[in-house]
Amino acid sequence: KDTYNNNNNNNQVQFLSSSGGNAGLALTTVCRSLRPPLPVSVIVPETTKPMVVRNLETLGADVTVFGKNWNEADALARTMVEDAKTDGSGNTVYYVSPYDNPLLWTGHSTAVDEIIDQLSCNGGDDDVRIGAILASVGGGGLLSGILEGLERNYYRGGGGGGGRRSEIIRGTKVMACETEGAASFAASLVANSLDSENNSNDDDDGDGNGNGNANEERSLTMKRLDGITSVATSLGALEVTPAVIHRAHRHQRRGRCDDTSAGGGEDVLSYTCTDAEAVDACVKFALDHRMLVEPACGAALAPIYSERLRGRLLEELSGMRQSSSGDGDRGSSAIVVEVCGGGGVSAEL
C-alpha cells in the first residue's frame, strides 16, 4: 500500500521477481490490477513453458528468459535489482521472492484458518480432525505457511490441548510432496534429522505467532540439488528455505511431546513420486473434477491416486482414530490436499 501511494506521488516504482511461472503470474496480476498499474518484470528459467511466458506477457509483465533453472534466473533478478540502485535512472525497484518471505508464508497460512473454520461448521460433528494436509514443495513457501497456520491455531487454543481449533489440528500430519528430480526438501529434511545433535535445541517458543525460532541461526546442513531433472519445473528450486526445515522440526516436536494433552502424533513426512505418477494424478484429477492442474500439483495428488503411495498414506494415518493416550476413538480424520499450480497446463499438454 505504501509503495502504491508513493507511486501516485510520481516516484518511479517497479517490482521484479523470479519465477517458474505461477508466482510470476500472481505478482503480475496484482501489480497490473492497481490503478495506475505498477510495472513488473519477471525473470523465468529456460525450462518455463512458452505458454506461461505468453500468459505473463499478456498480463503485462516484462519477461526475461534466463538460466537453466530457477536459481540462475533468481540470481539475475537480484543482480538487476542491485544494478537499479546505481544506474542513475531514479527508479526504485523492489525484489519479490516467489517463496522466501515471511509475508508470503503468513498469506499461505490463512488456508489452515479456512480449513478449520469449515470443519468447525461441519454439521456439528465435534469429532472431526485434520488427519493430513498434502502439499507440493518447490522452495518451501507454501509448506512454511501451512506449518505456520497449524502452529498459530495450535496455540490459539490455549497452548495445545485447549479449545476447539487446537483439537481439530491435534495430530495433523503434513505430507511434503515432490517429484523425483526436484526433491530439494526431501534432501534437506533427511540431512537434518530431528534426532540429530545439531537440531536438538530448535525448540518451540510457544508465543503462538507462527514464527518460533525460525529466524534464529541454527546449525542446518541444507542440501542443494545439482540440477532439476523433473517435468514439474514449477518445483524447480535447487534448495528450500531453511525456515521450512525449522518449522517442520517444531511441528514434529509437538507430535513427540510426552504430555498427551499437548501432543498427539504431529509429523512432517516427505513423499516423493515419479514424474509418471504426478502426470497420471493430474489426468485422474481432471476426470474426477473437470479441472486441469500441472505436474507440480500432481505431486500432491499422487499420494491419493497412486496405489503405491496411497498404501503408505493410509498406513501413516491408520493410528489417527486412536488418541495418543489410548483412550478411545478420535473420530473422523479429514485428508486435505492443497490443489495449486495450474498456470502451466493446457488441454493439449
Side-chain angles (χ1 to χ4, degrees), residues 112-120 130 153 165 168-169:
V112 177
D113 299 336
E114 295 176 15
I115 294 167
I116 294 174
D117 289 342
Q118 291 182 25
L119 291 178
S120 298
I130 301 177
N153 283 283
R165 302 187 76 84
I168 289 176
I169 63 173

Side-chain angles (χ1 to χ4, degrees), residues 26 75 82 182 213 264 268 327:
E82 290 301 312
N213 291 330
V268 178
D327 59 1

Side-chain angles (χ1 to χ4, degrees), residues 130-279:
I130 301 177
I133 299 178
L134 283 64
S136 298
V137 184
L142 174 60
L143 183 58
S144 292
I146 289 172
L147 292 168
E148 178 176 321
L150 289 170
E151 187 167 31
R152 180 175 60 249
N153 283 283
Y154 181 85
Y155 287 111
R156 184 179 291 174
R164 177 67 181 131
R165 302 187 76 84
S166 64
E167 284 293 328
I168 289 176
I169 63 173
R170 188 190 302 176
T172 298
K173 299 182 187 298
V174 179
M175 299 357 188
C177 305
E178 302 169 285
T179 53
E180 295 175 359
S184 53
F185 175 80
S188 287
L189 187 66
V190 169
N192 296 279
S193 168
L194 184 64
D195 297 318
S196 67
E197 180 178 354
N198 287 340
N199 296 305
S200 60
N201 294 318
D202 188 16
D203 295 328
D204 245 326
D205 65 359
D207 64 3
N209 64 8
N211 292 320
N213 291 330
N215 293 324
E216 294 184 10
E217 289 295 329
R218 295 290 181 180
S219 181
L220 291 178
T221 305
M222 299 304 296
K223 291 297 182 179
R224 187 181 180 91
L225 303 181
D226 294 331
I228 301 298
T229 58
S230 171
V231 298
T233 55
S234 295
L235 302 180
L238 297 179
E239 182 179 324
V240 295
T241 173
V244 75
I245 302 298
H246 288 301
R247 293 178 180 214
H249 285 165
R250 293 204 302 274
H251 190 70
Q252 290 174 321
R253 273 204 173 79
R254 285 192 291 276
R256 297 186 180 189
C257 182
D258 290 335
D259 179 3
T260 57
S261 68
E266 290 87 345
D267 206 349
V268 178
L269 303 167
S270 174
Y271 275 64
T272 304
C273 68
T274 65
D275 280 346
E277 287 174 323
V279 171

Side-chain angles (χ1 to χ4, degrees), residues 265-317:
E266 290 87 345
D267 206 349
V268 178
L269 303 167
S270 174
Y271 275 64
T272 304
C273 68
T274 65
D275 280 346
E277 287 174 323
V279 171
D280 183 63
C282 292
V283 172
K284 290 177 179 176
F285 181 76
L287 293 173
D288 284 344
H289 297 282
R290 302 297 190 266
M291 184 184 299
L292 296 178
V293 294
E294 60 189 83
C297 178
L301 291 167
I304 302 296
Y305 287 109
S306 163
E307 183 175 349
R308 177 181 70 90
L309 295 175
R310 185 170 61 251
R312 177 190 167 191
L313 175 64
L314 294 177
E315 182 177 352
E316 298 280 6
L317 299 179

Side-chain angles (χ1 to χ4, degrees), residues 32 43 50 78 80 125 129 143 183 186 206 213 258 283 305 319:
R32 302 307 294 172
I43 316 300
R78 292 174 183 269
M80 292 172 66
D125 184 356
R129 303 286 193 276
L143 183 58
N213 291 330
D258 290 335
V283 172
Y305 287 109

Side-chain angles (χ1 to χ4, degrees), residues 78-93:
R78 292 174 183 269
T79 298
M80 292 172 66
V81 171
E82 290 301 312
D83 290 347
K85 297 178 181 179
T86 57
D87 66 2
S89 66
N91 293 338
T92 301
V93 181

